[in-house]
Amino acid sequence: MELTTQWDKTFAKSDKVNHKKVTFRNQYGITLVGDLYEPTGASYGLPAIAVSGPFGACKEQASGLYAHELAQRGYVTLAFDPSFTGESEGTPRRTASPDINTEDFMAAVDFLSLYKRVDAERIGICGICGWGGIALNTAAIDTRIKATAAITMYDMTRVKTNGYFDADNNEATRYAARKHMSEQRTMAAGTQRTTQEGGLPEETPDNAPQFLKEYIAYYKTSRGYHPRSGNSNDGWHTFGTQAYFNSRFLRFTNEIRSAVLVMHGEKAHSRYFGEDAYKYLTEGQPNAGILPNAYSDNKELYIVADANHTDLYDGGPDGTRIPWDKLESFFNTYLK
């Protein structure tokens, strides 16, 4: 493992923050790499927040920006690369697993719980985009987590099986996708090589949907491009997200007792993920025997006016659209 020593983030470093690179292991034996941010002159007994996402990004992008900003506001923060991505270990590269990704977040909580400056009773997590759904999945399991922010979230299990806006929610479409990935597995087993797919085009197609234009404007430009980011380059390997087809996040989010903030952009194509997640959090799914949450008073859906999906990655082209004060207020309230 060779770790980058120079500052190579997509954002400038503040002199109000100390930074160092750290490593920690999850229960699967994979070593994860993170950027630890602390307020300059930090004391002991501080609240802490683990941050990851978006799905397919690296810690030098949006998660690092969130960790860096929250550290300026008094938190010890840890932005980390999930297993199989960025500087973290795991092969094949750019692979995802619902179980391992959830475990990655809990391993980050392990690290913060033992870190000398952190009060282990005041730990939160923040997941961005696809890691917003993973954050909720983690909060439904790990009672050490006192506050969870899901930012511009995707439910990756839903979008993988149903497509965008649930337009592909049928057996035939799922079968075609499963068949493609199965064929790719046979090919990889024979050649001992994996192929990549899902990378963004270098130039925006004329007929591109608006959300694709937004992704390209972030990942393929100076706003967010990074050489270790799968989304900035050639995407995932062809069956790297296969396990997500048979999984479901959010099943027990109606039993999360700790605080949750679901933050989404008013104009985000993904807004329905956040709104539905909040509904499950609070109302459950009575038709499926999933009861309303008995601890709903500390749950909130916050819609950011005029913001699209990627505006909440970095504040948008002008850098102003992330409501940092709202995020700080949420964590201040529940990580007292």
Side-chain angles (χ1 to χ4, degrees), residues 4 22 54 68 92 95 97 102 112 134 166 169 192 197-198 206-207 219-220 239 257 271 285 298 323 326:
T4 303
V22 298
H68 180 265
T95 297
S97 160
T102 301
L112 290 173
I134 296 168
D166 299 324
N169 185 17
Q192 298 299 303
E197 66 182 6
D206 293 337
N207 62 346
Y219 283 111
K220 305 297 281 191
F239 51 90
R257 298 188 181 189
R271 178 175 168 176
Q285 301 175 61
N298 57 1
K326 173 61 182 177

Side-chain angles (χ1 to χ4, degrees), residues 39-114:
T40 302
S43 58
Y44 294 85
L46 294 177
I49 302 167
V51 190
S52 198
F55 198 78
C58 61
K59 65 186 181 304
E60 287 72 26
Q61 297 172 310
S63 63
L65 174 65
Y66 273 72
H68 180 265
E69 178 68 26
L70 288 167
Q72 294 182 69
R73 295 167 183 256
Y75 293 88
V76 174
T77 60
L78 174 65
F80 64 92
D81 285 325
S83 297
F84 312 107
T85 65
E87 291 185 296
S88 291
E89 287 185 340
T91 56
R93 302 304 293 164
R94 297 183 188 157
T95 297
S97 160
D99 287 344
I100 296 176
N101 292 156
T102 301
E103 161 63 22
D104 289 341
F105 243 143
M106 291 191 287
V109 174
D110 293 343
F111 176 88
L112 290 173
S113 296
L114 299 175

Side-chain angles (χ1 to χ4, degrees), residues 94 198-202 219-220 225-235:
R94 297 183 188 157
L200 294 167
E202 295 297 325
Y219 283 111
K220 305 297 281 191
Y225 177 82
H226 197 277
R228 288 195 294 276
S229 167
N231 292 344
S232 287
N233 295 284
D234 54 359

Side-chain angles (χ1 to χ4, degrees), residues 14-66:
S14 168
D15 58 8
K16 298 178 181 179
V17 170
N18 292 329
H19 161 265
K20 62 181 176 182
K21 195 155 287 188
V22 298
T23 61
F24 55 99
R25 289 167 72 86
N26 66 21
Q27 71 167 349
Y28 296 100
I30 299 170
T31 298
L32 305 182
V33 180
D35 286 309
L36 188 72
Y37 298 94
E38 301 173 275
T40 302
S43 58
Y44 294 85
L46 294 177
I49 302 167
V51 190
S52 198
F55 198 78
C58 61
K59 65 186 181 304
E60 287 72 26
Q61 297 172 310
S63 63
L65 174 65
Y66 273 72

Side-chain angles (χ1 to χ4, degrees), residues 185-198:
R185 288 190 71 105
T186 301
M187 183 184 303
T191 62
Q192 298 299 303
R193 295 178 59 189
T194 58
T195 54
Q196 305 294 119
E197 66 182 6

Side-chain angles (χ1 to χ4, degrees), residues 80-272:
F80 64 92
D81 285 325
S83 297
F84 312 107
T85 65
E87 291 185 296
S88 291
E89 287 185 340
T91 56
R93 302 304 293 164
R94 297 183 188 157
T95 297
S97 160
D99 287 344
I100 296 176
N101 292 156
T102 301
E103 161 63 22
D104 289 341
F105 243 143
M106 291 191 287
V109 174
D110 293 343
F111 176 88
L112 290 173
S113 296
L114 299 175
Y115 187 63
K116 62 183 180 180
R117 296 193 189 279
V118 170
D119 179 349
E121 297 300 317
R122 294 196 291 163
I123 294 177
I125 62 174
C126 178
I128 305 162
C129 187
W131 275 79
I134 296 168
L136 293 178
N137 199 52
T138 308
I141 297 171
D142 194 334
T143 61
R144 298 173 300 173
I145 297 166
K146 300 304 189 294
T148 300
I151 309 296
T152 197
M153 69 161 282
Y154 267 43
D155 174 355
M156 291 304 301
T157 60
R158 180 177 176 181
V159 75
K160 287 300 294 182
T161 54
N162 295 359
Y164 282 106
F165 311 110
D166 299 324
D168 296 325
N169 185 17
N170 61 82
E171 185 273 342
T173 302
R174 280 190 286 271
Y175 180 81
R178 290 165 180 153
K179 186 173 186 294
H180 169 68
M181 287 188 289
S182 298
E183 291 169 348
Q184 290 293 319
R185 288 190 71 105
T186 301
M187 183 184 303
T191 62
Q192 298 299 303
R193 295 178 59 189
T194 58
T195 54
Q196 305 294 119
E197 66 182 6
L200 294 167
E202 295 297 325
E203 297 183 0
T204 306
D206 293 337
N207 62 346
Q210 182 59 35
F211 72 86
L212 180 58
K213 294 177 182 178
E214 293 165 9
Y215 281 136
I216 294 170
Y218 176 77
Y219 283 111
K220 305 297 281 191
T221 72
S222 58
R223 275 179 62 190
Y225 177 82
H226 197 277
R228 288 195 294 276
S229 167
N231 292 344
S232 287
N233 295 284
D234 54 359
W236 297 87
H237 86 73
T238 48
F239 51 90
T241 58
Q242 190 173 27
Y244 273 81
F245 270 83
N246 283 354
S247 300
R248 274 290 179 266
F249 286 161
L250 313 185
R251 173 62 178 81
F252 290 106
T253 55
N254 67 309
E255 298 180 1
I256 296 175
R257 298 188 181 189
S258 57
V260 176
L261 172 67
V262 178
M263 182 184 290
H264 234 104
E266 178 187 17
K267 298 180 178 179
H269 69 280
S270 54
R271 178 175 168 176
Y272 72 103

